[in-house]
């Protein structure tokens, strides 16, 4: 301060001089003013305001000069890496500095320290690396800062209120974790901090935003997952405890309010966000779904230690109320119609988990009370209410009586005050609970009978009550499912005789509705289970009849009398009785030696005259001609050879001695020595030495279809395999497999020598694949154990190549052995089951004390999956949960098991607890695996009857895999997922069956001798159910998504293999589409436009795939065309305005998929009668306008070819041109002239020429008996001559692009891409028909001719012309007559080149456009033609320089 110059001068003259301190500035200010006591307070206030505006208050500490040595800064204090980090000494020094500075400034030390700490906290939170969490460095700095704040707080030098106010000034940069750490380290509690904010609305918004960000970040990839969860848990605890205090009014919302209101609003906003996310069906990867999952998980973690029991209960009731009332957009009619979709298994798992948590904390009684209160006082979301009811009855058995009592109260109130809402609520609750199954809640039929089937029913009090009931039931008819109407009709309310008309009117209405839904009461079974969640449809009577027969036989066995339902059906339901029940009862079979209950029931019905004589005679005749199944043949493997060849004698002796040692298999040293003897004598028997060294990765080549061995090799292998089986039986008679020692491993190691292993595998192929059903039980046990040991070396064995026709390449030995076991027939399935039982039991016995990996390593997953598949298929006992047995019950023994023993052994293994634990990962039978195995079954040789197979399919799909979680191989209750898997499997099946269906052996034919009809029927049923489930809500059918996912990977491949694979996929695609309901092609009606179906998916498939694959000359195949129009009729039948639906769809075809209309014209002769008949029968009105236009176009084509005058072509002209083109194709005469063409419009001639060109190309691309190339050329020539005579611009057809508007874009969608690419070939195939005067007169012709020639050359260089069989090329001599001469593409290019060289000089003399742009990049393709164009163009003066260009 020695310098007396002013600050301005100092700054201007010496910018590097020392800046004056704050104390010096204040001192100078004080000296210039006199002391005034009144101004003292103003000075303090000014100082406080100055401190409040200062952005880096910790810099003020730099002004402290005591001690004089080293100045301290707060930023250096919180730096954990600095040697000035927070210590008791530094804290006390800074505290002292704060006190001194506050004294000098005249401000409270608490305010100064609070503002300084707040500013430092803001600095810590700047530039965050995470939206709500601190980085490691920030966390360390904040911890040091808060320790210092704790010191200040402990010494009464820190103002919490001032700190909170300063913190909120920087709320935009404030991190949630930093706020939480203030609470955790007891600097400022969360409640105190939140309450200090002046704007409660801002607090709500800040908390909601940060909690949402926090929930988005909580996942497995979060670097600070534990901290994030702790932050969320503490905030939830605070909000619940503060928001639901005893005196808080949760329904009062004000602009400003208390902390309880802030907490309640935040909780409500977060729950609304989670519910919206669940309702929107978001993907699990989406941020909103993560928020919902995280927040609901945090709510389920309650109670917390800081929340009182009363506050928690109030919160739970409020949460349940909010869930039930959130977004109440559904009406009661929607609930009646859709509640089937809201069952427990179809509700989102997060929501059911939340329900369970809320219901557990509230108790079932309080939960029912809350439900009742909400339904009585609020507008509710019916989906949430009914899914909550499902959760209540499914998860809490004690809630059954509570719900029944609640329903009874609702029904009593409804009939007392004729309250319709109570009636609706009661019916919805009962139906929702009943659809969860009879084990959870009584069936709807039982409840309805109990409520209205007696004189004590709710409706029996008065006529008004009866009218009320039937009026209510009638109002339900348009919305409810058929099964409920069936219950009402079959178990009608008890009505006095004088009011019978009320019942008959309702029954008539219900039957009419059922008829509209194609559900017949006549075809219902005798023992129909009306409480099932599935609707009864027309395709069920046959399977239901078989069930009725079985139940009738059970009743007959117990009573000895004809069951009453059977007698009633023979009188009142004769249609079902004669058409379904009796044929199921009188199924032909081999008559048993002693008459059973079926024969007795048949005779009883015959005596009662309930069986028609003709039907009974046919049954007896069929039974008499039935044959018994053939007996088993001899064993396929000999224990001993018939001749004792000399080289095998020593080996046989050694093996016999080894078998004797098996009486005590624990003598490992003795057995090892004997195995060495066996190995030595084996080498002598084979005539060469065996190398026991590890094998390389060479591949063993086998022919599975016809495996062959040399005689000596077969004798040796048979002897070894027989010895192994016999030794195993001896060893097992004295010790279980786990105590037999390593002898089997030693033996198998001998069999795995590089020379012997191929012979062993070949012999196993013969035995297991070709002779399996004829093997004895001892052979099955021995070979099963051998397969287990062959799997133990695993990768040490070489892979096996099964043969060129096998569906897979080389296989590891375990997978190869598994592939030898097939399930095609009854015999092969039973053998496979026996073999799998033996192998799995042996493996489980040997490795049970060891980890699961050892068991998995020695078995192929396919073997385990086949066992699961066959157990499910053959044993209904395995389809229900069974008590698991301990390891002592493992089925293994040396006895020759009978069929009954095999069944017991299989079930014992299945029930074994340790075995079930091993069925994880790739060893679990998934839905796709089950489908693939089921497709291998030959229906004609199946062990299950048609009815049993259908029942098994129903169980497997709907009861087992559909509700099973995806982790267990199921579909998570998603029917669309199940359909997608089934479609993919069927597509693979169609391709494999087409590839190998010519083989005689079905072992390696995944479809050659099998049928997919049953599973295809299941798919049709599932697709129909899915359409009913989704309705108009879907924006595209899943089938097209599956097809796109399969075709997309093959889209970019240009090689032949990829092209063939793509064609194979398209064939399977077309085959599948033709077997699915035609409504899939047209799509469902839109919810916004009920008359406009969604066809875009099918249109896209046609335009991108089928147009190039299944079309010729502008028309799709007949089957896919007819299928589309069947789907159109179906869509019209479901539309409110069929005419408008048909017209809109066909109008859309004109612009989006015109090839469908040309296809209809191509097949009109067979399509029109069907359309006419079905339309008139269904709608009793003329055809829609767009179909009439197709009729008119077809009529125009017929009149055109007939003699006489012809009316003008109807619009659109291209449709009439297509009709005329297909009509001309059907004319047998060649060289016909059509003078009527001269009278037609130009709009018709150009598309007609295009169709003729496409037909010309088709005749050469796909030559067959129906194509006629000369006729195609003549047709093109006739149309071309007419175009040339009338001076119509036809060159535009050879310059079409995708960007063309109008006709050009449309025509490109009518032809395959290959045809349009080959247009240059068609152009030069018509050389002889180009007229000289026309060629010379048109400037554009040369440009088009040159362009076509260059493209033709490019096609030849790319190999595209190889697809053409023998295109008709024409030679043109401009000065002479032309004579057509057929040739190859090379000849055609030669003729085109000669034509151009003769044409160029003549055209350029009359002037032509510049060819440089046309030749750009293609000059070198034909230098002579390029030179002729460019040189002649330079020689011609440009006389039209200032004229406008002429465009064509």
């Amino acid at each position: 301060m020695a310098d007396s110059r002013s600050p301005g001068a100092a700054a201007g003259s010496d910018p590097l001089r020392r800046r004056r301190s704050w104390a010096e500035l204040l001192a100078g200010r004080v000296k210039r003013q006199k002391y005034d006591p009144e101004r003292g307070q103003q000075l303090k206030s000014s100082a406080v305001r100055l401190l409040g505006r200062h952005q880096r208050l910790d810099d003020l500490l730099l002004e402290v000069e005591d001690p004089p040595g080293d100045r301290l800064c707060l930023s250096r204090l919180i730096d954990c890496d600095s040697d000035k980090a927070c210590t008791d000494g530094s804290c006390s020094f800074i505290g002292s500095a704060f006190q001194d500075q506050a004294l000098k400034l005249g401000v409270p030390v608490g305010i100064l320290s609070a503002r300084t700490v707040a500013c430092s906290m803001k600095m810590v939170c700047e530039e965050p690396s995470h939206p709500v969490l601190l980085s490691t460095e920030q966390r360390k700095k904040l911890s040091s800062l808060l320790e210092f704040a704790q010191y200040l707080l402990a010494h009464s030098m820190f103002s919490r209120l001032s700190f909170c106010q300063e913190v909120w000034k920087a709320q935009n940069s404030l991190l949630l974790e930093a706020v939480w750490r203030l609470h955790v380290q007891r600097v400022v509690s969360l409640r105190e901090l939140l309450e200090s904010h002046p704007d409660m609305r801002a607090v709500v918004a800040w908390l909601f935003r940060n909690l949402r960000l926090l929930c988005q970040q909580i996942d497995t990839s979060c670097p600070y997952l534990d901290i994030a969860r702790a932050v969320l848990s503490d905030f939830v605890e605070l909000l619940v405890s503060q928001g639901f205090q005893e005196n808080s009014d949760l329904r009062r919302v004000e602009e400003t309010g208390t902390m309880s209101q802030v907490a309640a609003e935040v909780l409500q906003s977060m729950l609304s966000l989670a519910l919206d996310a669940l309702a929107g069906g978001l993907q699990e990867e989406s941020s909103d779904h993560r928020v919902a999952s995280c927040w609901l998980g945090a709510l389920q973690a309650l109670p917390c230690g800081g929340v009182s029991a009363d506050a928690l209960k109030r919160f739970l009731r409020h949460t349940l109320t909010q869930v039930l009332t959130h977004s109440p957009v559904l009406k009661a009619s929607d609930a009646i119609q859709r509640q089937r979709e809201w069952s427990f298994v179809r509700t989102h798992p997060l929501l059911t988990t939340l329900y369970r948590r809320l219901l557990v904390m509230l108790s079932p009684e309080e939960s029912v009370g809350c439900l009742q209160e909400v339904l009585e006082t609020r507008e509710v979301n019916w989906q949430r209410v009914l899914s909550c009811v499902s959760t209540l009855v499914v998860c809490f058995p004690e809630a059954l009586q509570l719900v029944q009592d609640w329903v009874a109260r609702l029904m009593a109130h409804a009939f007392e005050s004729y309250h319709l809402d109570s009636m609706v609520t009661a019916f919805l609750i009962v139906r929702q609970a009943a659809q969860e199954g009879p084990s959870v809640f009584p069936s709807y039929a039982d409840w309805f009978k109990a409520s209205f089937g007696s004189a004590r029913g709710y409706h029996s009090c008065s006529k008004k009550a009866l009218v009320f009931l039937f009026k209510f039931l009638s109002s339900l008819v348009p919305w409810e499912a058929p099964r409920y109407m069936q219950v009402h009709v079959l178990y009608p309310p008890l009505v006095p005789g004088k009011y019978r008309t009320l019942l008959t009117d309702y029954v008539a209405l219900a039957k009419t509705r059922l008829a509209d839904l194609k559900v017949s009461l006549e075809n219902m079974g005798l023992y129909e289970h009306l409480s099932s969640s599935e609707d009864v449809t027309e395709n069920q009577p046959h399977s239901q009849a078989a069930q009725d027969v079985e139940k009738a036989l059970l009743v007959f066995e117990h009573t000895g009398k004809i069951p009453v339902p059977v007698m009633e059906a023979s009188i009142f339901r004769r249609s079902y009785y004669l058409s379904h029940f009796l044929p199921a009862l009188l199924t032909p079979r081999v008559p048993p030696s002693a008459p059973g209950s079926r024969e007795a029931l048949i005779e009883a019905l015959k005596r009662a005259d309930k069986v028609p004589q003709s039907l009974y005679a046919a049954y007896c005749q069929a039974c008499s001609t039935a044959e018994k199944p053939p007996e088993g043949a001899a064993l396929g493997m000999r224990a001993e050879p018939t001749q004792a060849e000399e080289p095998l004698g020593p080996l046989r002796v050694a093996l016999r001695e080894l078998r004797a040692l098996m009486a005590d298999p624990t003598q490992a040293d003795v057995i090892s020595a004997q195995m060495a003897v066996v190995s030595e004598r084996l080498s002598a028997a084979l005539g060469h030495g065996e190398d026991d060294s590890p094998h390389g990765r060479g591949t063993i080549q086998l022919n599975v279809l016809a495996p062959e061995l040399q005689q000596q090799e077969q004798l040796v292998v048979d002897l070894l395999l027989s010895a192994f089986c016999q030794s195993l039986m001896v060893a097992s008679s004295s010790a279980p497999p786990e105590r037999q020692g390593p002898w089997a491993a030693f033996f198998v190691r001998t069999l795995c020598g590089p020379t012997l292993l191929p012979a062993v595998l070949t012999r196993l192929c013969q035995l297991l694949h070709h002779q399996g059903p004829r093997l004895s039980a001892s052979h099955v046990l021995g070979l099963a154990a051998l397969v287990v040991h062959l799997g133990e070396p695993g990768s040490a064995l070489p892979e096996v190549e099964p043969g060129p026709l096998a569906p897979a390449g080389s296989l590891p030995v375990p997978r190869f052995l598994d592939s030898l076991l097939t399930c095609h027939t009854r015999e092969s399935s039973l053998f496979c089951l026996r073999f799998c039982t033996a192998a799995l039991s042996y493996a489980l016995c040997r490795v049970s004390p060891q980890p699961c990996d050892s068991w998995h390593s020695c078995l192929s997953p396919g073997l385990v999956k086949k066992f699961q598949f066959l157990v499910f298929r053959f044993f209904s006992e395995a389809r229900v949960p069974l008590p698991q047995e301990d390891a002592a019950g493992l089925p293994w023994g040396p006895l020759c098991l009978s069929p009954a023993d095999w069944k017991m052994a299989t079930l014992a293994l299945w029930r074994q607890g340790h075995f079930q634990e091993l069925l994880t990962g790739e060893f679990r039978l998934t839905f796709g695996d089950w489908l693939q195995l089921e497709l291998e079954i030959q229906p004609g040789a199946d062990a299950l009857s048609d009815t049993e197979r259908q029942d098994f399919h129903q169980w497997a799909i709907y009861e087992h895999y559909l509700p099973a979680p995806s982790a267990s191989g199921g579909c998570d209750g998603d029917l669309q997922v199940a359909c997608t898997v089934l479609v993919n499997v069927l597509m693979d099946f169609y391709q494999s069956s087409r590839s190998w269906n010519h083989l005689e052996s079905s072992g390696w034919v995944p479809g050659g001798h099998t049928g997919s009809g049953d599973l295809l029927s299941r798919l049709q049923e599932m697709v129909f159910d899915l359409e009913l489930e989704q309705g108009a809500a879907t924006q595209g059918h899943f089938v097209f998504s599956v097809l796109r996912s399969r075709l997309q990977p093959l889209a970019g491949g240009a090689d032949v293999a990829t092209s063939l694979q793509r064609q194979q996929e398209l064939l399977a695609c077309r085959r599948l589409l033709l077997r699915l309901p035609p409504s899939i092609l047209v799509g469902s009606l839109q919810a916004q436009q009920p008359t406009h179906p969604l066809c875009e998916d099918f249109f896209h498939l046609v335009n991108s795939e089928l147009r190039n694959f299944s079309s010729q000359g502008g028309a799709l195949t007949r089957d896919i065309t007819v299928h589309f129009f069947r789907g159109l009729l179906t869509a019209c039948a479901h539309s409110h305005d069929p005419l408008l639906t048909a017209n809109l769809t066909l109008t859309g075809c004109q612009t989006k998929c015109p090839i469908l209309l040309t296809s209809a014209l191509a097949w009109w002769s067979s399509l029109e009668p069907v359309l006419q008949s079905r339309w008139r029968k269904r709608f009793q009105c003329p055809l829609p306008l767009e179909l009439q236009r197709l009729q008119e176009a077809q009529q125009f084509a017929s009149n055109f070819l007939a003699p006489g005058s012809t009316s003008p072509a109807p619009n659109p002209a291209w449709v009439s041109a297509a009709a005329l083109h297909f009509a001309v194709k059907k004319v047998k005469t060649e060289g016909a002239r059509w003078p009527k063409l001269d009278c037609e419009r130009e709009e018709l001639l150009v598309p007609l020429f295009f169709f003729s060109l496409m037909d010309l190309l088709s005749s050469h691309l796909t030559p067959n008996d129906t194509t006629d190339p000369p006729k195609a050329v003549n047709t093109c020539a006739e149309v071309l001559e007419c175009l040339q005579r009338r001076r119509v611009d036809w060159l535009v057809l050879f310059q079409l692009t995708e960007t063309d508007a109008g006709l050009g874009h449309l025509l490109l969608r009518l032809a395959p891409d290959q045809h349009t690419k080959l247009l240059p070939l068609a152009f030069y195939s018509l050389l002889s028909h180009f007229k000289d005067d026309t060629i010379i007169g048109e400037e554009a012709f040369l440009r088009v001719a040159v362009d076509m020639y260059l493209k033709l050359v490019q096609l030849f260089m790319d190999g595209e012309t190889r697809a053409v069989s023998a295109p008709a090329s024409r030679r043109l001599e401009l000065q002479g007559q032309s004579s057509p001469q057929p040739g190859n593409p090379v000849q055609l290019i030669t003729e085109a080149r000669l034509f151009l060289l003769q044409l160029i000089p003549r055209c350029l003399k009359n002037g032509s456009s510049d060819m440089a742009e046309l030749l750009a990049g293609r000059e070198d393709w034909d230098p002579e033609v390029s030179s002729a164009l460019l040189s002649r163009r330079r020689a011609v003066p440009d006389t039209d320089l200032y004229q406008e260009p002429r465009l064509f």
Side-chain angles (χ1 to χ4, degrees), residues 1275-1292:
T1275 303
C1276 288
E1278 180 71 15
V1279 180
L1280 178 59
E1281 289 176 6
C1282 179
L1283 289 169
Q1284 293 178 133
R1285 284 195 305 270
R1286 298 182 58 180
R1287 299 285 181 174
V1288 178
D1289 184 12
W1290 53 273
L1291 294 174
V1292 67

Side-chain angles (χ1 to χ4, degrees), residues 244 263-276 295 299 314-328 351 354-355 358 370 374 378-381 384:
F244 294 90
E265 288 186 21
V266 173
L267 289 171
Q268 185 167 349
S269 299
M270 290 298 296
L271 183 58
S272 298
L273 175 65
L275 295 177
D276 289 336
W295 183 254
L299 296 184
R314 282 190 292 271
F315 166 70
L316 295 173
R317 288 183 64 90
H318 174 71
T319 302
L320 181 59
T321 302
Q322 185 178 352
V323 171
L324 300 179
T325 58
H326 180 73
S327 185
L351 199 57
L354 176 64
Y355 285 146
L358 295 176
C370 184
V374 169
R378 305 284 188 90
E379 290 289 330
V380 297
N381 183 319
R384 300 272 167 72

Side-chain angles (χ1 to χ4, degrees), residues 847-1055:
V847 303
S848 56
Q850 302 175 12
C852 297
D853 293 340
S854 301
W855 190 80
H856 287 164
S857 63
C858 64
L859 289 173
S860 167
L863 194 73
V864 183
K865 291 179 179 180
K866 287 178 180 178
F867 175 76
Q868 300 173 67
F869 169 76
L870 293 172
V871 168
F872 284 143
R873 211 167 195 280
F874 285 127
F875 305 119
S876 59
E877 303 95 318
R879 303 175 193 173
V880 296
L882 294 173
Q884 296 180 351
E885 301 177 0
D886 56 13
L890 286 173
W892 181 261
L895 301 177
C896 295
L897 301 176
S898 64
D901 294 330
W902 279 111
K903 179 179 179 180
M904 293 175 57
T906 301
L907 290 177
L909 173 62
W910 178 257
R911 295 165 179 163
Q912 218 277 331
H914 190 43
F915 172 77
Q916 292 292 335
E917 295 173 1
L918 299 173
L919 300 181
T920 58
E922 61 176 348
F923 288 84
R924 184 182 296 278
L925 183 70
T926 65
F927 184 46
D929 299 328
W930 177 82
L931 290 171
Q932 292 174 358
L933 291 171
E934 190 65 32
L935 283 171
E936 292 184 11
I937 302 295
Q938 299 178 16
D942 191 5
L944 303 181
S945 65
D946 292 344
T947 301
E948 291 172 337
R949 186 166 57 252
Q950 291 176 7
D951 293 343
F952 173 58
H953 289 174
Q954 290 289 125
W955 171 85
I957 295 175
Y958 291 102
E959 299 182 33
H960 185 63
Y961 285 110
L962 180 59
S966 57
S968 301
C971 306
D972 289 323
D974 192 340
L975 189 59
Q976 180 169 322
V977 173
C979 292
T980 301
V981 175
L982 182 49
V983 167
N984 277 310
V985 172
L986 284 174
M987 291 277 288
D988 295 335
F989 167 77
Y990 288 150
Q991 297 182 57
S992 61
S993 64
R994 184 168 53 256
S995 299
W996 304 300
N997 60 1
H998 59 281
L999 301 178
E1000 295 182 0
S1001 175
S1002 61
W1004 289 98
V1005 187
H1009 293 271
T1010 61
S1012 59
D1014 289 335
L1015 288 180
L1016 187 59
S1017 299
R1018 302 290 85 76
L1019 175 61
Q1020 293 168 348
E1021 296 171 5
M1022 294 161 67
V1023 168
F1024 180 74
D1025 290 341
L1026 188 61
E1027 290 180 348
L1028 292 179
E1029 175 182 323
Q1030 294 179 341
T1034 181
Q1035 293 299 318
H1037 205 280
F1038 81 96
V1039 171
F1040 295 101
S1041 301
V1042 175
L1043 299 181
R1044 282 195 298 270
S1045 65
R1046 295 177 66 93
L1047 291 170
Q1048 188 174 4
L1050 305 175
D1055 56 312

Side-chain angles (χ1 to χ4, degrees), residues 749-820:
R749 191 178 306 163
T750 303
L751 298 178
C752 291
T755 304
L756 189 59
L757 181 61
V760 172
L761 295 179
T762 301
R763 188 56 177 150
L764 287 176
C765 177
Q766 294 175 345
L767 295 172
L768 300 181
H769 188 64
H770 296 277
Q771 305 175 25
R774 291 179 287 173
L775 295 177
S776 66
S778 60
H779 288 147
V780 171
L781 294 174
L783 294 180
L786 177 64
V787 168
V788 172
H789 286 286
L790 283 173
E792 289 177 350
S795 59
L797 296 178
E799 293 190 345
V800 182
E801 179 69 45
L805 297 178
S810 58
L811 301 172
V813 169
R815 286 193 58 195
F816 167 74
L817 296 174
D818 153 57
S819 66
L820 299 177

Side-chain angles (χ1 to χ4, degrees), residues 1293-1328:
L1293 295 179
F1294 296 94
Q1295 295 180 313
L1296 299 176
T1297 62
E1298 285 291 338
T1299 58
D1300 291 344
L1303 184 62
H1305 182 69
L1306 183 142
L1307 292 179
L1308 285 177
R1309 291 194 172 191
L1310 288 173
D1313 293 339
Q1314 187 182 25
H1315 285 58
T1316 55
K1317 187 183 298 184
L1318 293 175
L1319 275 175
L1321 191 144
F1323 181 88
Y1324 281 105
S1325 296
L1326 298 173
L1327 280 178
S1328 62

Side-chain angles (χ1 to χ4, degrees), residues 1116-1170:
L1116 301 175
T1117 55
R1118 180 182 179 277
D1119 48 10
I1120 202 71
T1121 304
V1122 173
H1123 206 58
F1124 170 78
F1125 279 90
R1126 289 175 58 200
L1128 178 59
L1129 292 177
T1130 302
C1132 293
H1134 291 86
S1135 173
H1136 299 300
D1137 192 342
L1139 289 173
L1140 182 58
T1141 297
N1143 289 329
L1144 288 175
T1145 303
L1146 295 177
T1147 302
C1149 289
Q1150 294 184 18
T1151 56
K1152 298 178 181 179
C1153 194
I1155 197 172
L1156 286 173
L1157 299 183
T1158 57
S1159 303
L1161 293 171
W1163 310 107
W1164 191 253
S1165 59
S1166 58
L1167 181 63
E1168 181 187 24
V1170 178

